[in-house]
Amino acid sequence: MDGHDKDVGGESAGSEAAPTGSDAVPAGPDAAPADSGAAPAPTGSGVAPASADSGAAPARTGIAALSRRSQVVAAVVLAVVVAVVCVHVGMVFLHVAPSNTVTKEHGRTVDDWIYPEFEQNWKLFAPNPLQQNVAVQVRAQIRTADGAGRTTRWYDLSAQDGAAIDHNLLPSHTQQNELRRGWDFFVSTHDAQNRPTGLRGELSERYIRRMVLLRLHRHEPLARGEAFDQVQVRSRTTAVQPPEWSDEKINSKPVLRVLPWWSVTPGDLPLAGEDRAHRDVAVAQNGGVR
């Protein structure tokens, strides 16, 4: 055997001495370096390797993203809103609840909170809801400058309020309830002979007088030297007609409730500029006595 054969034989012997089995590391382009302790990165999965800053906290949103001062302000506003809502719910509950110790002690406070914006009216659910149309009308006697007098025509104040509400998406609280509630207040505090049943009855009379004079002042502007001497109020009540499919019989004849003439006092007149000036002149002439 010559040297060439020995070299060939050595190479064969070396290749045969290479490790085999599970300890063998296959050669190839995908093979990991021998000195690398990390597993090969998966291929074809579409998952990008995690970045070096993957452990950073997520971005804050909502109230947490605000500054500390803004968070305090938001917390205070939320607490105030919750407190107001709780107080309102409690006031409404006490208003509609039967008479109890709390309402007897603090009934005035509850009424001041509820009226007029949060009034609770259950007539819609009553067994016998209101089935009448009530129109409040007024006329006046005017004293002219020469001492004579004239009587105005009847003005239908309810019809004027109805015309202002029709086709109005946002009618005012005054147009909807001032006259109606004022008349209900008067009727509930007077007997069938239109006599007041107590102090509330006298208060309702003054309220109605001032209200109708304010309305009359718009429709009957006074000339120089004229003044309202007396006013008279009446109501015209008609029943609501039943639907066509009903066999119910309703008396459609209107019922009038005519009040006596009321004398007009300086305290009943609307505080218009000209009327106030006339009253100030009269007060000055009387030595400051109103």
Side-chain angles (χ1 to χ4, degrees):
M1 179 180 302
D2 56 14
H4 176 72
D5 293 335
K6 290 181 180 180
D7 294 336
V8 173
E11 291 179 25
S12 299
S15 62
E16 291 176 357
T20 59
S22 60
D23 295 334
V25 179
D30 296 333
D35 58 347
S36 175
T43 59
S45 61
V47 179
S51 60
D53 59 347
S54 59
R60 296 184 299 175
T61 59
I63 296 181
L66 301 175
S67 63
R68 181 58 59 87
R69 178 178 297 180
S70 299
Q71 290 179 1
V72 172
V73 173
V76 171
V77 171
L78 180 60
V80 171
V81 171
V82 172
V84 172
V85 170
C86 292
V87 171
H88 178 70
V89 172
M91 289 294 188
V92 173
F93 172 79
L94 292 174
H95 178 68
V96 301
S99 179
N100 52 69
T101 304
V102 178
T103 55
K104 291 179 181 179
E105 182 72 18
H106 305 286
R108 180 65 178 272
T109 303
V110 175
D111 290 343
D112 291 342
W113 181 278
I114 294 297
Y115 293 107
E117 297 297 338
F118 305 117
E119 178 189 1
Q120 304 298 308
N121 192 328
W122 304 106
K123 287 184 178 181
L124 177 63
F125 306 99
N128 186 22
L130 187 63
Q131 299 180 358
Q132 296 173 331
N133 289 323
V134 181
V136 179
Q137 303 170 344
V138 63
R139 65 176 178 176
Q141 288 182 352
I142 298 178
R143 186 177 62 255
T144 58
D146 57 0
R150 62 183 179 89
T151 303
T152 67
R153 64 180 180 86
W154 286 101
Y155 289 96
D156 194 333
L157 305 183
S158 298
Q160 295 172 6
D161 286 346
I165 293 172
D166 287 345
H167 310 295
N168 188 350
L169 296 179
L170 297 173
S172 69
H173 185 75
T174 301
Q175 294 168 340
Q176 297 180 80
N177 298 315
E178 182 185 51
L179 180 63
R180 178 181 61 86
R181 292 303 309 277
W183 184 252
D184 289 343
F185 181 33
F186 178 88
V187 172
S188 62
T189 55
H190 285 71
D191 58 18
Q193 286 72 37
N194 298 318
R195 294 175 300 192
T197 57
L199 181 60
R200 287 171 56 86
E202 298 175 3
L203 179 63
S204 68
E205 285 186 10
R206 293 198 297 269
Y207 183 71
I208 290 291
R209 254 196 330 266
R210 295 177 182 180
M211 185 192 310
V212 298
L213 281 170
L214 184 62
R215 301 285 189 94
L216 282 172
H217 194 272
R218 302 171 186 169
H219 301 286
E220 289 285 343
L222 300 178
R224 183 172 298 275
E226 293 185 338
F228 289 111
D229 189 25
Q230 290 182 314
V231 293
Q232 188 177 31
V233 182
R234 72 179 182 184
S235 66
R236 186 177 185 272
T237 304
T238 55
V240 176
Q241 294 299 316
E244 298 178 356
W245 47 262
S246 175
D247 57 357
E248 184 180 2
K249 303 299 181 181
I250 297 295
N251 185 6
S252 59
K253 183 179 180 180
V255 177
L256 296 178
R257 179 173 182 170
V258 183
L259 306 185
W261 285 96
W262 288 335
S263 298
V264 177
T265 64
D268 297 329
L269 297 175
L271 295 179
E274 184 176 355
D275 292 336
R276 178 182 296 177
H278 290 168
R279 286 198 300 274
D280 292 342
V281 171
V283 170
Q285 292 174 348
N286 292 334
V289 179
R290 293 185 178 271

